[in-house]
Amino acid sequence: MSTFVQVPAESDFPIQNLPYGIFSTSCNANRRVGVAIGEQILDLSAVANFYPEYVQNALRANVLNPLMALGYDAWNDVRTITRDLLLAGSSLDKNEELKKRAIFKQSDSTMHLPASIGDYTDFYSSIHHATNVGIMFRGKENALMPNWKYLPVGYHGRASSVVVSGTPINRPLGQTQPVDGEAPVFGPCRLMDFELEMAFFIGGPPTKLGERVTTKEAAKRVFGFVLMNDWSARDVQKWEYVPLGPFTAKNLGTSISAWVVPVAALQPFAVPNFPQEPKPFPYLQHDEVFNFNIELFVDIKPENGTQVTVSHSNYRHLYWTALQQIAHHSVTGCNLNPGDLLASGTISGETEDSYGSMLEISWKGTRSISVGENQTRKFLQDGDEVVIRGFCNGDYRIGFGDVRGKVLPAIPFEN
C-alpha cells in the first residue's frame, strides 16, 4: 500500500498502523480525533463526511469514547476508509485545499489523554515479574502465591491520575518504615520506581451489571493498546500494602502513550499464547491466539545526561492474555464501559536485561546500574526522565511512539 503522505523509514506509523489519538493545534485549540501517519496527523473531524453517517459524530468528538462505544464493526469500517483516504490517488490526495485543513504535523500538535477513563484496573500477569518479586520477599520456595496460576491477579487503580505521555510526576510523600520493626516515618518516597507495562482500552456498548463477557466475545471488546508506565513508590508500597494491597504507592500517577494502536495493526505480529499449567478453569480458556511480539524498551535520561536503555523486554512474556483478563474481570457480573483501561502489570523477561522495574533491575536495591558517565542508580532520582518505547518489527514497523515522564521533587507538606 502506498500513501501520499511521506513516511520515513523505520517510522512507528506506516499506513499499516493508523493509531488513534486526541490532538489540538496552535491554530485550533479544540481537541479532536486524529490518526497518525508518518510524522503527520490526519484530522478525522475534517474528513468525517467521507465516513458512514452512523460514525460521523464519533469522529467529531473530543475523546475516543464515542468511537470505542460503536463497536468492532464500526472500527473496521473507520479503519478501512481511513486507509483508503490516505492512499496515493485517493479523493483526499486530489483535494489540496482539504489536505491543508485535514493534515497536521505531529511536531506542531499537542497530544491529550485519548479517552475519558471511567475505571482503571491493573493486572499482575507477567510470570517472570511475579516470580522475581516473590523470590525477593518470600524466597524461591514460595515465589508464586498459590492463586497466581489459577486467575489473573489484579487490583482497581485510580483513573483520575492516569496522564498522557510528557506529563511530569512529582515524587510522592507518604508513610514508610525505613527499618523493619521500628516506627514508620513520613516524608518523600526514597524508592521511586517505574513499571514497564502495556494497557488496552475496552470498547463496545456498555455491559450491564450482572452481564459477563466471555473469552470468545472478549477480542471484539479490545479497542486498542497503549504503552504504560505505572509509577510506583516502593517504600510506601511495602508499608501500606498489607492487608489490602496497593493504594497511595500507585495513585501518584500512571502515564500512557498518546497513540492507541488498534488490534488489527498488531495481528500480523501475533505469537502463540504463553503456555499455562495447570489448565485454567473453563471460563478462562480460549483457543484464539491473542499474544503479540512487541519489543519493549525502557530508557532513563538523567538530568543533563544522555538517554540510556536499562531494559529490553517483550509483551509476549505475559502469562495471562487480555481475553482472560476481560473474562475474569467480568465473571462476577462487573459491568464494563467504553474507555475503561486494563493494564498488564509489569512485563519482565527471564534475563536481567529484560526486567521491567528498578525493583528487579537493582534486585531490591542491592546492586547499582549505570545510567551514563559516572552515574548509577538503584531507584529513580529527581530529574530523571523515564522513556518507554515499543514496536513490532517485520516487513514494516508498528509502533506506539513513546510514553515519557520526568520525576520532579516532592511538593513540601504544609500543615
Side-chain angles (χ1 to χ4, degrees), residues 143 206 284:
L284 290 171

Side-chain angles (χ1 to χ4, degrees), residues 15 25 31 37 44 49 110 116 134 136 155 206 234 343 358 400:
I15 196 168
T25 56
R31 300 184 183 191
I37 177 71
L44 295 192
N49 288 338
T110 299
S116 176
M136 283 182 219
Y155 71 94
R234 296 298 187 187
M358 291 299 287
F400 296 78

Side-chain angles (χ1 to χ4, degrees), residues 155-358:
Y155 71 94
H156 291 286
R158 183 69 181 177
S160 66
S161 53
V162 178
V163 295
V164 73
S165 175
T167 306
I169 301 294
N170 286 95
R171 182 178 296 272
L173 300 178
Q175 290 189 30
T176 63
Q177 188 186 40
V179 180
D180 289 346
E182 294 191 6
V185 299
F186 177 80
C189 154
R190 295 174 296 107
L191 309 182
M192 185 73 169
D193 202 355
F194 65 80
E195 291 195 35
L196 167 61
E197 302 197 23
M198 294 196 68
F200 61 89
F201 281 102
I202 291 289
T207 62
K208 297 176 182 178
L209 187 63
E211 183 180 350
R212 301 183 184 94
V213 178
T214 68
T215 52
K216 291 182 179 180
E217 300 164 336
K220 293 185 177 181
R221 288 285 182 170
V222 181
F223 176 77
F225 284 83
V226 293
L227 301 173
M228 173 180 282
N229 182 353
D230 181 28
W231 302 91
S232 297
R234 296 298 187 187
D235 44 351
V236 176
Q237 183 178 357
K238 179 184 176 182
W239 174 242
E240 76 173 6
Y241 86 104
V242 178
L244 293 181
F247 184 30
T248 64
K250 299 283 191 176
N251 68 10
L252 58 113
T254 301
S255 303
I256 64 172
S257 54
W259 294 107
V260 186
V261 175
V263 176
L266 300 175
Q267 284 175 335
F269 303 92
V271 292
N273 300 330
F274 200 100
Q276 296 180 334
E277 181 61 39
K279 191 174 183 178
F281 284 103
Y283 81 95
L284 290 171
Q285 294 174 18
H286 66 86
D287 295 325
E288 183 171 358
V289 174
F290 212 81
N291 196 14
F292 307 101
N293 184 18
I294 306 172
E295 301 282 344
L296 298 169
F297 300 84
V298 183
D299 301 342
I300 294 178
K301 184 181 182 300
E303 198 159 34
N304 303 317
T306 57
Q307 191 166 311
V308 175
T309 299
V310 298
S311 177
H312 175 196
S313 189
N314 197 298
Y315 181 87
R316 69 191 303 166
H317 295 313
L318 289 180
Y319 186 92
W320 296 104
T321 70
L323 309 189
Q324 292 172 318
Q325 291 166 354
I326 292 173
H328 185 65
H329 201 307
S330 65
V331 73
T332 55
C334 173
N335 49 324
L336 301 175
N337 293 296
D340 286 353
L341 188 68
L342 275 63
S344 62
T346 303
I347 305 173
S348 295
E350 295 181 87
T351 58
E352 291 182 8
D353 63 350
S354 65
Y355 292 168
S357 65
M358 291 299 287

Side-chain angles (χ1 to χ4, degrees), residues 80 100 142 166 195 220 225 384 411-412:
T80 299
K100 290 178 184 178
N142 300 299
E195 291 195 35
K220 293 185 177 181
F225 284 83
D384 287 348
I411 300 172

